[in-house]
Amino acid sequence: MAQTVIPFSFETYLQKKLASGDPVTLNKIVLANIPDLDLTQPIPRDTGLPTHDQIVHEQIIDQVGKINTNALAYSIVMDTTMGDFTFNAMYLIDKDDRNSIGMIVWKLPETKTATNEQSGTTGNSLVKSMLMEYDGAATAAAITVTAATWQIDYSARLIGIDDDVRLQALDVYGHDAFIDDGFVVTKATNTDQYFVNAGIGYIGGLRAVLAQNQTLTISTKPTSIWVSVSHQGTVLGAWSNAIELKVSATALTDNVIDGVDHYVAKIADITAEGMVVNQRSETPLDVLLVELKKGQFQAWDPLRLYTKGEKTTVKQGDESVDFWCNQSNVNHKPISNDPTDTWRLYPFEKGSNQGISYKIWFNNDVEMEGVYSLTTYKTPMGGNLTALYDGSTSILLPIPMTVTTCHASQIDSGNVGVETTTCAISNNYIAIRAGGVSANLAGSASYVAKGSWFIKGYK
């Protein structure tokens, strides 16, 4: 319950302003705590400001806006640094003329507290507005800005804060990720019932907490199980993340229902035979831990089953040798040249054979290099103006492979002006052709071309 009044003093103040042509400048709100205030009685129009000891706070108007041509809204914002005081009366005045009271409000007591770190008290924020109406108010006060353009929308601000937190989680977890066995789907024996584990997941940046195990009855297969999460609440109530489990053979995506964003993730596929195929995404931290585990080269553990992609270290004499696992669910000790191809040297196995050096990488990529020496023979050409030297050789590759890159080069011999070198692969041989063109017809009948070659491919 409250009482309001425009006192006589404002009529005098308004006439003075109109006569001088100056705008009405009501620019301060005075808060007071008046003992024994009777809210059942109207405020006398000759009421003035309360005594100094009753005034608890004064503040310059933060914003003023036009409601319509005859009504103005005056507002102040009191943050958590202001307080502590209690007030039950509000006075709108001109700070330069304290007798010019434009409006008075008597109301129920309200307390404003300030944050006190020493006592651990958290202060409150208050926005107080006074709506004053009289003929020609907007013109008299020279106010053209509507209240809607400046009034603080705390709901929009809070929604913005919520979405900022959501986006931070989205950056960390991606669109969807589940912690440990949260939301794992399992099947009951010989029934159409499926169980969804209680746990935690992040979907669209929202934290989804399934407090209890859930049971779904699914008779139509194949299909999929989905989780939909939305952040819902009211302006005056608490907000929370609402979770809904859905069964659909049709792919579901993020959507908006009645203005509320719903974020969706698939957690399992159900095959036509009723089997469960897990579709939950791991958290980036879980993925990172797996990768770190793969890359730590821990000593081989004979009691552990290794999966493809893991790495381990085995002591061979005085050296520690690294291996990469090429199979899953294995535990036999890594050895070099493993006939089962379960373990491969990491990052590569290197060796040489008949002067050819090679590297066999853990993923079966192969690199080889070697040198060649061949005799080229002179053939006159171009009307006896030049001579062509040409020769070739073939080298057997020590490891059968599919070659993707072949390159050969010739060491400058000084016998020809322009050297030419080509290479090709045929039946696990590298064929090299070398030579050049010479303008000296009187040169030797042959010369030895020397150089190197390099090939790359895979087993």
Side-chain angles (χ1 to χ4, degrees):
M1 184 176 181
Q3 297 286 348
T4 63
V5 73
I6 294 178
F8 292 132
S9 61
F10 179 71
E11 295 181 4
T12 303
Y13 172 79
L14 178 60
Q15 291 174 359
K16 183 172 63 175
K17 289 291 186 179
L18 293 175
S20 65
D22 296 325
V24 172
T25 52
L26 299 175
N27 48 25
K28 177 180 278 192
I29 288 180
V30 177
L31 304 181
N33 190 18
I34 302 174
D36 304 322
L37 198 61
D38 187 357
L39 299 183
T40 64
Q41 299 298 316
I43 304 173
R45 293 195 65 198
D46 58 356
T47 300
L49 282 177
T51 59
H52 179 74
D53 61 312
Q54 294 176 340
I55 296 175
V56 295
H57 182 69
E58 297 186 16
Q59 185 168 330
I60 298 296
I61 297 295
D62 289 304
Q63 292 288 358
V64 58
K66 180 177 71 173
I67 302 300
N68 55 50
T69 57
N70 297 324
L72 299 174
Y74 298 84
S75 293
I76 58 172
V77 179
M78 294 178 284
D79 61 24
T80 57
T81 64
M82 300 178 183
D84 298 344
F85 55 81
T86 299
F87 62 99
N88 60 3
M90 302 171 61
Y91 300 82
L92 180 61
I93 69 169
D94 183 336
K95 66 180 180 64
D96 298 321
D97 184 358
R98 294 181 68 86
N99 294 321
S100 58
I101 303 174
M103 182 181 179
I104 302 173
V105 175
W106 286 355
K107 58 188 291 297
L108 292 173
E110 188 171 2
T111 299
K112 175 70 184 73
T113 58
T115 296
N116 188 323
E117 295 182 357
Q118 293 182 345
S119 64
T121 302
T122 301
N124 60 343
S125 296
L126 293 179
V127 178
K128 305 306 295 183
S129 297
M130 300 181 74
L131 178 62
M132 186 176 181
E133 185 174 6
Y134 59 95
D135 288 344
T139 301
I143 300 297
T144 59
V145 178
T146 62
T149 63
W150 57 262
Q151 283 181 327
I152 299 173
D153 185 352
Y154 277 102
S155 62
R157 180 180 180 185
L158 292 175
I159 290 172
I161 293 173
D162 287 343
D163 201 53
D164 186 53
V165 173
R166 183 188 70 82
L167 292 174
Q168 291 178 37
L170 191 66
D171 290 339
V172 173
Y173 292 100
H175 181 269
D176 52 276
F178 298 88
I179 297 175
D180 297 330
D181 60 354
F183 291 84
V184 164
V185 178
T186 56
K187 184 182 184 300
T189 305
N190 300 324
T191 71
D192 287 334
Q193 286 188 329
Y194 293 82
F195 305 114
V196 182
N197 273 13
I200 298 172
Y202 285 85
I203 303 173
L206 297 180
R207 190 172 187 262
V209 180
L210 195 62
Q212 296 179 337
N213 296 340
Q214 301 294 314
T215 302
L216 301 174
T217 300
I218 303 174
S219 56
T220 303
K221 311 175 189 71
T223 190
S224 300
I225 301 177
W226 310 77
V227 181
S228 176
V229 185
S230 58
H231 191 56
Q232 300 188 35
T234 64
V235 174
L236 300 178
W239 284 63
S240 62
N241 294 335
I243 301 173
E244 183 180 2
L245 296 174
K246 297 184 176 184
V247 178
S248 174
T250 304
L252 303 181
T253 58
D254 297 346
N255 57 90
V256 179
I257 302 175
D258 295 331
V260 177
D261 290 311
H262 292 252
Y263 302 96
V264 181
K266 183 195 289 188
I267 58 174
D269 283 328
I270 309 299
T271 67
E273 296 76 23
M275 302 301 293
V276 176
V277 180
N278 179 42
Q279 295 294 341
R280 301 174 315 126
S281 299
E282 294 180 314
T283 68
L285 178 59
D286 290 334
V287 174
L288 178 60
L289 289 175
V290 171
E291 290 303 314
L292 287 174
K293 195 173 185 180
K294 290 180 180 179
Q296 285 178 339
F297 296 105
Q298 298 175 345
W300 176 69
D301 182 358
L303 301 179
R304 180 180 165 204
L305 290 177
Y306 287 84
T307 60
K308 185 172 182 176
E310 290 191 279
K311 309 178 188 74
T312 190
T313 299
V314 175
K315 200 76 171 178
Q316 293 183 350
D318 295 331
E319 295 185 1
S320 292
V321 181
D322 297 330
F323 289 88
W324 181 84
C325 187
N326 189 44
Q327 307 289 340
S328 293
N329 299 321
V330 295
N331 65 352
H332 77 72
K333 187 174 182 178
I335 58 174
S336 301
N337 301 314
D338 187 349
T340 66
D341 198 28
T342 299
W343 291 101
R344 298 175 181 174
L345 287 170
Y346 186 90
F348 52 75
E349 172 189 349
K350 63 181 179 179
S352 62
N353 189 318
Q354 297 181 356
I356 300 174
S357 300
Y358 61 82
K359 291 180 181 178
I360 305 175
W361 292 81
F362 71 96
N363 61 353
N364 267 354
D365 284 349
V366 180
E367 296 177 3
M368 289 188 194
E369 60 183 3
V371 297
Y372 69 88
S373 176
L374 59 88
T375 302
T376 66
Y377 297 93
K378 182 173 71 173
T379 301
M381 60 179 294
N384 293 327
L385 297 178
T386 59
L388 172 67
Y389 288 85
D390 184 46
S392 63
T393 188
S394 294
I395 302 171
L396 177 64
L397 302 178
I399 299 173
M401 61 181 291
T402 299
V403 176
T404 58
T405 301
C406 181
H407 176 74
S409 61
Q410 186 178 166
I411 300 172
D412 184 13
S413 65
N415 293 287
V416 293
V418 179
E419 295 174 341
T420 60
T421 309
T422 61
C423 65
I425 304 297
S426 177
N427 297 324
N428 210 43
Y429 281 84
I430 178 172
I432 299 175
R433 189 170 183 176
V437 178
S438 174
N440 183 11
L441 290 175
S444 61
S446 65
Y447 82 93
V448 176
K450 298 179 180 181
S452 60
W453 56 269
F454 171 81
I455 60 174
K456 187 174 181 180
Y458 57 89
K459 290 176 63 177

